[in-house]
Amino acid sequence: MTISKAIANDLLAVYLAGEASEETRRAVEEFARRDPEFARLLIDSPATRLPDSPVFGVAEVRALERTRRALARRSWLMGIAIFLTLLPLSILVKDGEVKFLLVRDAPSAAAAISVAAAGAWAGYFRARVKV
């Protein structure tokens, strides 16, 4: 598949973001082999340092993977912390009356969940500082 320079430039952002399909990636790389100026742009750009690029070293790939795992862990911790924070505050509105379900029916469980929520928030903020 042959593409023009304008199309290659349009596809460059998708390629650099790692979101390109295999066919698009091949087309951009084929164009880079034919156009030395475009190839130089691709290699010299800081954004082109992708894990599968020969310019990217092993240490950088490991650092990138550690960062991705840390961000995923932090996202999960925040979701769990929000869930645990809101769980004891679950309410039921019936006949114009507001009832706190967990706090009213199981205050010891609400206290335990609140402690777990505090732990999840602490873990989230500790993970947030590391990244």
Side-chain angles (χ1 to χ4, degrees):
M1 177 177 170
T2 304
I3 60 174
S4 68
K5 185 164 188 153
I7 293 174
N9 286 331
D10 290 344
L11 296 174
L12 187 59
V14 176
Y15 178 85
L16 295 177
E19 299 295 323
S21 68
E22 183 64 31
E23 184 178 352
T24 302
R25 202 171 58 71
R26 276 194 310 255
V28 170
E29 290 169 356
E30 177 186 326
F31 182 80
R33 282 191 288 277
R34 289 190 329 241
D35 186 329
E37 181 184 337
F38 186 79
R40 195 171 14 266
L41 171 72
L42 201 61
I43 292 170
D44 292 342
S45 173
T48 61
R49 299 179 185 263
L50 298 173
D52 58 350
S53 170
V55 179
F56 213 62
V58 174
E60 288 88 358
V61 171
R62 288 183 181 151
L64 179 62
E65 289 304 316
R66 270 195 318 270
T67 302
R68 285 181 177 166
R69 281 193 304 273
L71 289 173
R73 186 173 38 254
R74 189 177 82 176
S75 296
W76 274 99
L77 277 170
M78 186 173 80
I80 291 168
I82 290 171
F83 174 75
L84 291 173
T85 299
L86 296 176
L87 185 62
L89 304 175
S90 299
I91 61 170
L92 172 69
V93 179
K94 188 175 182 182
D95 298 328
E97 184 180 339
V98 176
K99 298 179 181 181
F100 288 92
L101 298 179
L102 195 54
V103 173
R104 180 197 59 182
D105 295 336
S108 60
I113 291 171
S114 296
V115 169
W121 281 114
Y124 166 74
F125 285 113
R126 191 172 358 143
R128 188 168 174 239
V129 171
K130 289 181 182 179
V131 174

